[in-house]
Each structure stands twice: as C-alpha cells, then as structure tokens.
Amino acid sequence: MPGKNHLKQLGAHTWIFPLESAKDRPNLGYVRGNQMSIAIDAGHSSSHVEEFYHALEKEGLPLPDLTVITHWHWDHTYGMHAVHGRTLARPETNVHLREIAERLEKDPGYGRKFLKSDPCIIREYAGGIPLKVVPADEELQGDRTLDLGGVTVELDYTESPHTEDALLVYVPEDRILFVGDAQLGEFPTWFMDDYKMADLREKVRGYDVKTIVDGHWMPYTRREYLEQLM
C-alpha cells in the first residue's frame, strides 16, 4: 500500500492522493490525458496542495491544467488559491466561497474562530499555514464533458443530501466515479433527506462504473457504494 504522501493508481488514466483523517483531508483525484490533466478537488490548504503536487512530480506526472470542485466545503476548496492552472465549480459553490471570502476580509475574528474550530483544522493549519479563500475561476453551467486527449471526463450535476452544489466526476474509460461527500447528511446537523438520497442512488446506478471514490473513505466497488446509499 502506498503511504499517505504517495499517489495510488486506480486506472490507466486515474490516480488519487489518499485521504488523511487526522487533518480531515479528503481524497484528491487526478486524471491524465494526452493533451491535459485535471485534478478533482483542491484540498484543505496550500500545504495539502503542495504535498499532492510533490507526489505528482515524484511520479513524473504533470501538474493539473484544471481543478474541478465537487462541493464548497473547506476541506475540498481552501487550497484553491494555491493550485496550478484554472479552477471550475458549480455557481452555487462560488456563492458560498465568495460569502466566506468576504467575511474573512471584513472580520478577522471569523478566520481565527475557524482555525480553532476543530482539532483537524488546528492540525492542518499548524505552523502558520495561510488561510485564504477564493472562488473558482469558471462556473459550470450544467453538465459538461472534457476531452483530455485519449480519455474523457464527465462533469455531472446531481442531487445530494449533503450540499446543494454537488458535482460528480466520471472517467468512463477507467469506469471510475468521484462523488465528493455527496452521500453524507446535511452539514452541520447531518439531517438525511431521503428523497435526495434516492435521487443520488438512481444517478449513481446509471453509470457503468467499477470503482467509486468518495471524499473520506478508501475506494468502493459499485456494489459496496450502493449498499451505503440504502
């Protein structure tokens, strides 16, 4: 098994930089094509991004040209200011990120409160790692397919009980689906909307998928993941 600072290859074109629970770091995805490469999610901080990129460079893989965001939560987005290339997210994601960036600018106490709000966040930002929040460079207006050269990536809107801005990222050539935290309950109450969960379940069933990568667990088989959604 690779260590926490090493990539894990899941398919011919697809890797993950594995999760790190002690800092609440999610899996970060990476898909390489002949013409461009993308990352899935921007991580918890600039430190998270730096470690991810170091792992890519060790494997001789180019830095991503584009980073796609699965939803707005900090552990998936607060590294956006440090990524290589451009960023892409749903408009709803940017609404949240702009609101947070504005609060950080107007109220320094808001940032201090966040940095002390959870042991995982305290560990992530230890040593003075900067807290900086930015919106995505581009907003995704509906589903889109990206041609990376020899491999495609489908970006699909979905219902989710976790957030209203969930985005699924599907690599059909590798039969791999990235779901972010889509199957979790609503933050911070963890209320589970059964109707939204049913919609998500039907959406996932529609993919010809072998491996499913969520934010905070090791990859599932299709059957294992769908069992989690029952």
Side-chain angles (χ1 to χ4, degrees):
M1 284 289 291
K4 66 180 181 180
N5 293 319
H6 294 77
L7 296 176
K8 179 178 181 180
Q9 188 164 8
L10 301 183
H13 313 88
T14 309
W15 291 257
I16 58 169
F17 187 59
L19 62 93
E20 186 178 348
S21 297
K23 295 182 178 180
D24 198 31
R25 288 179 169 183
N27 291 303
L28 302 182
Y30 178 84
V31 186
R32 183 183 184 182
N34 298 328
Q35 298 174 1
M36 64 179 291
S37 300
I38 73 161
I40 297 102
D41 281 331
H44 201 165
S45 72
S46 58
S47 176
H48 193 186
V49 173
E50 289 168 7
E51 292 178 29
F52 175 33
Y53 287 2
H54 181 63
L56 290 174
E57 289 168 346
K58 283 175 63 177
E59 296 296 326
L61 295 169
L63 298 183
D65 302 288
L66 178 71
T67 297
V68 176
I69 304 300
T70 63
H71 66 295
W72 69 270
H73 287 165
W74 53 91
D75 49 323
H76 299 257
T77 60
Y78 280 16
M80 284 173 64
H81 66 280
V83 303
H84 180 270
R86 295 180 61 78
T87 51
L88 176 66
R90 286 180 56 161
E92 301 94 330
T93 304
N94 267 359
V95 169
H96 286 286
L97 295 176
R98 289 191 181 102
E99 288 177 350
I100 295 165
E102 184 175 345
R103 290 189 68 180
L104 287 171
E105 184 177 355
K106 291 182 176 180
D107 180 11
Y110 177 73
R112 290 194 293 268
K113 183 178 179 181
F114 170 79
L115 291 174
K116 297 177 181 179
S117 63
D118 183 90
C120 294
I121 293 171
I122 292 170
R123 286 189 284 268
E124 179 65 44
Y125 288 88
I129 300 298
L131 173 61
K132 185 176 181 180
V133 178
V134 299
D137 297 311
E138 182 183 353
E139 295 181 356
L140 182 68
Q141 305 293 341
D143 298 348
R144 184 187 301 181
T145 297
L146 305 175
D147 184 353
L148 308 187
V151 60
T152 54
V153 175
E154 298 177 9
L155 310 178
D156 296 336
Y157 277 39
T158 189
E159 286 282 3
S160 162
H162 191 52
T163 62
E164 82 285 6
D165 64 331
L167 188 70
L168 303 182
V169 183
Y170 177 51
V171 187
E173 288 82 1
D174 287 350
R175 299 175 64 207
I176 294 172
L177 178 67
F178 291 86
V179 298
D181 297 346
Q183 78 278 11
L184 299 180
E186 184 178 2
F187 181 85
T189 64
W190 303 112
F191 168 75
M192 179 59 68
D193 186 318
D194 292 334
Y195 293 101
K196 291 182 179 179
M197 177 62 89
D199 286 343
L200 175 63
R201 184 166 58 245
E202 290 309 304
K203 182 83 171 183
V204 172
R205 280 179 174 159
Y207 291 98
D208 176 20
V209 63
K210 179 180 178 182
T211 303
I212 296 177
V213 182
D214 83 345
H216 297 278
W217 201 253
M218 296 309 292
Y220 293 93
T221 65
R222 181 180 187 274
R223 178 178 178 179
E224 288 170 341
Y225 186 76
L226 287 172
E227 287 175 350
Q228 295 295 315
L229 305 189
M230 297 302 292

